[in-house]
């Protein structure tokens, strides 16, 4: 009996050791990044593994002032927030229209949208470039917002239709009998009830828009309009030897997503996994 | 009530805008792309119809075939990492481990972080002077194995594959764990009563019943590795000497650097078809085994 107990203890210890080692592998690069953002350049060279000898915020100051990271941050925020807002608006309306309105083609239209979850963006980039060029919106924020929204809609509709189909039909019926129009009933009665779904699609499409490199790299040419990922590449091109400044710029880029993830990870994981499993 | 829900104008109001946007900027461009890929064009001057010549040239283009080969190596590396490592870790987490949720959330985190930032972070980890890899090798007395990892034609691809393994392994852990949790728990109880070992349970219960998730995960791994862009674009942009070229970076190069848009859109087409083809083949492969 005692042997048995000893065996389970050893087994558990091995399991936890393995899990924690793996945790270290996952987290160490990020931790290393954050620690090094407070080091001086010499400190980085001579003391790669250790804590900063003296903590400095200079790298952040340099990243913002010299590297223009503050400007890129605002551009990223603007593009992401506008993209997310339009995505929420369009995909909740459409999901309601598909699950609740009565029309013959609703099933076909839904599968048409869901197909979009599998289409890689590369088949559309050059045509979009050409269309944006002809309509003179190339280089404007909207040239990134449009593809952001277009490619966020399929997964958002997939998640939202799931939420709408669980709501009882009596809800908007009651509101309409009370004299509400259907649109008003949708905004006042239905929308508040699908808030968890809206939060899920909001964070997922925000993270995707925030992280994306390809669209802003291709559709924006003006340095002043660039987003953080493109800005990071520009930083690398211009200050190739300011390593600590670059590290601070990377931290500025990843921190918002890390914060959002820490707060809402269950929703993000749930949404992404269900979306992936469907697609 | 039904009468209201049947009104055409509501269908237009609710579904119209998104459908219009999706068709105009999502679907029509793919058709347009097929058309452009048959021309020689820089999108500004006149374009010349060349039929399938772009496609023929691509397969005689040693850099493009190199890029496809590299994508396939990414597929292979990711497949090993995500099937072997992710399966092991998710199986451990499945054993009612205290704190499993927390482990899972932390493992998942790198996959939501900006690929560009991850690529730059790792280019520091591989940095010849102060990078973690070389300083670690120096510390344990293996100086002779230090390399300029990302600038060496022989080490650049494996080094990049490691980054992509690191970034996405947690994502696949979570997906496979979700698959295991979907299995009817009473099966394990019955198996335990019958005296089946954990290993037997894994082989006889979990593995077969996870087939659907493994199929989905295979599609994700393969299409993900075919579509890979940020990581390569930011670390090496395909270099040195095309040693880490992938289809997406080559497409970017041919289109937006060389301004050969017809050629570039043919690469886009091939990427699209490869992803669709891989999805179809995997589905068929798993389907026949499934009966």
């Amino acid at each position: 009996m005692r042997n048995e107990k000893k065996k389970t203890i050893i087994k558990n210890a091995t399991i936890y050791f393995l899990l924690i080692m793996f945790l270290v592998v996952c987290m160490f690069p990020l931790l290393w990044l954050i620690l090094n953002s407070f080091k001086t350049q010499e400190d980085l060279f001579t003391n790669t593994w250790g804590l900063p000898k003296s903590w400095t915020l200079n790298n952040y100051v340099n990243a913002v002032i010299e590297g223009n990271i503050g400007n890129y941050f605002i551009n990223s925020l603007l593009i992401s927030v506008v993209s997310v807002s339009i995505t929420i608006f369009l995909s909740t309306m459409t999901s309601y229209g598909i699950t609740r309105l009565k029309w013959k083609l609703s099933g076909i239209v839904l599968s048409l949208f869901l197909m979009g979850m599998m289409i890689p963006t590369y088949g559309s980039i050059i045509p979009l470039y050409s269309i944006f060029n002809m309509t003179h919106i190339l280089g404007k924020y909207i040239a990134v917002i449009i593809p952001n929204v277009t490619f966020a809609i399929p997964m958002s509709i997939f998640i939202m239709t799931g939420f709408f189909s669980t709501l009882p039909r009596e809800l908007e019926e009651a509101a309409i009998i009370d004299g509400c129009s259907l649109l008003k009933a949708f905004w006042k009665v239905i929308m508040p009830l699908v808030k968890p779904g809206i939060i899920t699609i909001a964070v997922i499409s925000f993270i995707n828009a925030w992280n994306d490199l390809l669209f802003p790299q291709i559709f924006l040419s003006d340095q002043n309009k660039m987003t953080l990922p493109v800005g990071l590449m520009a930083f690398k091109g211009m200050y190739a030897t300011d390593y600590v400044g670059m590290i601070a710029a990377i931290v500025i880029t990843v921190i918002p997503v890390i914060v959002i993830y820490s707060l809402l990870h269950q929703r993000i994981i749930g949404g992404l996994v269900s979306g992936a499993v469907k697609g | 009530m039904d009468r209201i829900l049947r009104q055409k104008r509501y269908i237009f109001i609710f579904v119209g805008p998104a459908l219009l946007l999706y068709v105009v900027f999502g679907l029509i461009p793919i058709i347009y792309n097929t058309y452009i890929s048959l021309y020689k064009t820089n999108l500004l001057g006149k374009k010349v119809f060349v039929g399938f010549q772009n496609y023929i040239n691509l397969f005689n283009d040693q850099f493009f075939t190199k890029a496809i080969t590299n994508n396939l190596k990414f597929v292979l590396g990711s497949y090993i990492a995500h099937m072997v490592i992710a399966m092991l870790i998710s199986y451990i987490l499945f054993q009612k481990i205290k704190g499993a949720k927390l482990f899972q959330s932390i493992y998942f985190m790198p996959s939501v972080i900006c690929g560009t930032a991850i690529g730059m972070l790792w280019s520091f980890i591989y940095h010849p002077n102060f990078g973690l890899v070389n300083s670690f090798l120096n510390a344990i007395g293996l100086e002779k194995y230090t390399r300029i990892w990302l600038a060496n034609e022989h080490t650049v691809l494996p080094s990049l594959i490691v980054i992509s393994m690191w970034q996405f392994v947690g994502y696949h852990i979570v997906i496979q764990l979700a698959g295991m949790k979907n299995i009817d728990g009473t099966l394990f109880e019955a198996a335990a009563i019958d005296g089946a070992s954990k290993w037997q349970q894994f082989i006889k219960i979990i593995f077969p019943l996870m087939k659907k998730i493994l199929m989905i995960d295979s599609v994700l791994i393969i299409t993900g590795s075919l579509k890979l862009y940020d990581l390569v674009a930011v670390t090496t942009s395909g270099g040195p000497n095309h040693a880490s070229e992938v289809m997406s970076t080559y497409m970017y190069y041919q289109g937006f650097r060389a301004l050969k848009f017809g050629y570039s859109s043919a690469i886009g087409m091939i990427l699209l078809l490869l992803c669709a083809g891989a999805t179809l083949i995997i589905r068929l492969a798993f389907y026949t085994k499934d009966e």
Side-chain angles (χ1 to χ4, degrees):
Chain A
M1 210 49 198
R2 261 183 65 194
N3 246 337
E4 196 77 345
K5 211 171 167 187
K6 217 169 161 185
K7 235 169 133 185
T8 31
I9 290 176
I10 292 172
K11 204 179 128 199
N12 278 338
T14 330
I15 282 178
Y16 277 99
F17 178 74
L18 209 71
L19 289 177
I20 289 168
M21 281 306 290
F22 197 67
L23 192 93
V24 171
V25 172
C26 287
M27 293 317 288
F28 187 73
L30 294 170
L31 204 68
W32 183 76
L33 179 81
I34 292 171
L35 280 179
N36 281 324
S37 71
F38 298 107
K39 285 181 188 170
T40 60
Q41 186 103 331
E42 300 130 69
D43 203 9
L44 173 71
F45 273 81
T46 53
N47 170 33
T48 304
W49 292 79
L51 291 172
K53 288 213 178 77
S54 61
W55 298 68
T56 171
L57 287 172
N58 264 345
N59 307 325
Y60 287 94
V61 175
N62 283 345
V64 171
I65 293 173
E66 310 254 325
N68 219 2
I69 292 296
N71 188 21
Y72 301 142
F73 191 94
I74 292 168
N75 293 336
S76 272
L77 199 65
L78 183 92
I79 288 178
S80 306
V81 168
V82 175
S83 305
V84 169
S85 312
I86 302 174
T87 303
I88 292 174
F89 179 78
L90 290 178
S91 53
T92 47
M93 293 280 282
T94 308
S95 304
Y96 182 85
I98 286 172
T99 48
R100 301 304 263 260
L101 296 180
K102 294 186 185 309
W103 46 303
K104 277 190 197 129
L105 293 176
S106 62
I108 293 173
V109 170
L110 179 62
S111 7
L112 196 68
F113 275 120
L114 296 189
M115 205 177 75
M117 288 168 69
M118 291 186 294
I119 300 176
T121 49
Y122 300 104
S124 329
I125 290 167
I126 287 167
L128 286 176
Y129 181 82
S130 163
I131 294 168
F132 292 159
N133 192 18
M134 282 189 284
T135 49
H136 300 290
I137 59 171
L138 199 64
K140 300 192 173 122
Y141 291 124
I142 185 94
V144 176
I145 293 170
I146 288 175
N148 272 351
V149 174
T150 307
F151 291 100
I153 278 180
M155 190 194 233
S156 306
I157 288 180
F158 168 71
I159 292 174
M160 288 316 295
T161 46
F163 276 89
F164 281 119
S165 56
T166 61
L167 294 180
R169 287 191 171 271
E170 289 75 31
L171 284 169
E172 62 263 53
E173 235 171 87
I176 285 171
I177 289 165
D178 286 350
C180 259
S181 73
L182 185 64
L183 278 171
K184 206 169 163 197
F186 172 73
W187 285 112
K188 299 268 157 158
V189 181
I190 303 288
M191 284 293 269
L193 293 170
V194 292
K195 229 190 213 160
I198 294 177
I199 295 173
T200 306
I201 62 171
V203 286
I204 292 176
S205 50
F206 181 86
I207 291 175
N208 286 338
W210 185 269
N211 289 349
D212 185 47
L213 171 68
L214 190 64
F215 294 151
Q217 194 184 26
I218 290 174
F219 300 135
L220 299 174
S221 43
D222 184 354
Q223 272 279 343
N224 287 318
K225 289 194 176 130
M226 280 181 185
T227 59
L228 279 167
V230 200
L232 281 182
M233 289 189 70
F235 195 119
K236 193 181 165 199
M238 268 188 293
Y239 306 95
T241 52
D242 182 7
Y243 300 114
V244 279
M246 229 182 295
I247 290 175
I250 301 172
V251 174
I252 295 173
T253 307
V254 301
I255 279 297
V257 170
I258 293 183
V259 170
I260 293 173
Y261 184 77
S262 316
L263 297 172
L264 293 163
H265 52 96
Q266 290 305 347
R267 261 187 219 297
I268 295 171
I269 292 177
L272 282 175
V273 169
S274 72
V277 166
K278 162 70 198 151
Chain B
M1 186 65 201
D2 264 17
R3 222 188 57 221
I4 296 175
L5 293 179
R6 270 203 182 90
Q7 283 183 21
K8 287 238 161 51
R9 70 183 178 110
Y10 283 127
I11 296 166
F12 280 113
I13 293 171
F14 278 98
V15 182
L19 190 61
L20 187 72
L21 187 85
Y22 178 65
V23 170
V24 171
F25 296 107
L27 300 182
I28 290 178
I30 295 176
I31 299 165
Y32 187 27
N33 192 68
T34 320
Y35 169 82
I36 298 177
S37 75
L38 303 176
Y39 284 82
K40 192 177 169 194
T41 171
N42 61 5
L43 292 183
L44 298 170
K46 67 168 192 228
K47 50 183 192 294
V48 183
F49 181 78
V50 293
F52 288 101
Q53 199 56 48
N54 284 331
Y55 294 91
I56 295 165
N57 291 348
L58 270 175
F59 284 98
N60 293 320
D61 178 341
Q62 53 158 327
F63 299 130
F64 181 69
T65 45
K66 176 92 189 160
I68 288 201
T69 320
N70 285 344
N71 274 112
L72 293 178
K73 286 179 183 163
F74 268 100
V75 170
L76 199 69
S78 308
Y79 215 83
I80 292 169
H82 301 145
M83 281 303 168
V84 179
I85 304 174
M87 180 83 76
L88 175 73
I89 302 281
S90 55
Y91 186 62
I92 292 176
L93 289 176
F94 182 60
Q95 310 295 317
K96 300 192 180 73
I97 295 287
K98 261 196 201 120
K101 271 233 153 94
L102 185 69
F103 280 118
Q104 178 189 337
S105 304
I106 295 175
Y107 296 157
F108 193 88
M109 194 160 94
S111 68
V112 294
I113 294 178
C114 175
T116 315
I118 298 262
M120 282 178 74
L121 159 60
W122 276 81
S123 63
F124 292 129
I125 292 179
Y126 285 125
H127 197 277
N129 302 334
F130 59 82
L132 290 179
V133 177
N134 276 357
S135 70
F136 179 73
L137 290 172
N138 282 329
I140 59 169
L142 293 172
E143 290 90 352
K144 62 174 177 171
Y145 291 108
T146 57
R147 295 272 186 290
I148 311 177
W149 297 94
L150 296 177
N152 179 319
E153 281 184 43
H154 300 288
T155 56
V156 62
L157 200 67
S159 304
L160 291 179
I161 291 174
V162 167
I163 309 178
S164 122
M165 287 160 93
W166 174 82
Q167 192 182 3
F168 292 109
V169 68
Y171 179 77
H172 297 278
I173 289 177
V174 170
I175 287 183
Q176 292 177 12
L177 186 59
M180 291 181 193
K181 283 183 176 158
N182 264 338
I183 297 170
D184 181 2
T186 55
L187 285 174
F188 298 112
E189 285 164 31
I193 291 168
D194 289 345
S197 69
K198 288 272 177 206
W199 175 245
Q200 283 170 321
Q201 288 184 24
F202 181 79
I203 293 295
K204 300 269 164 142
I205 302 177
I206 295 191
F207 207 69
L209 291 177
M210 270 183 75
K211 237 179 203 169
K212 186 162 178 256
I213 280 284
L214 291 181
M215 174 196 84
I216 290 161
D217 211 26
S218 304
V219 171
L220 289 172
I221 293 169
I222 293 174
T223 53
S225 307
L226 292 175
K227 289 187 288 191
L228 185 83
Y229 176 68
D230 313 25
L231 179 63
V232 183
V234 71
T235 47
T236 65
S237 43
N241 190 23
H242 299 274
S244 63
E245 199 77 75
V246 287
M247 283 184 278
S248 60
T249 51
Y250 198 55
M251 178 185 173
Y252 180 82
Y253 173 78
Q254 288 296 346
F256 299 94
R257 288 286 168 269
L259 303 182
K260 287 154 79 178
F261 285 102
Y263 200 55
S264 177
S265 56
I267 301 177
M269 250 4 252
I270 291 175
L271 234 171
L272 193 83
L273 292 174
L274 279 178
C275 285
T279 309
L280 199 70
I281 289 170
I282 293 163
R283 275 175 195 264
L284 284 175
F286 277 81
Y287 182 77
T288 45
K289 278 186 206 154
D290 243 17
E291 302 281 299

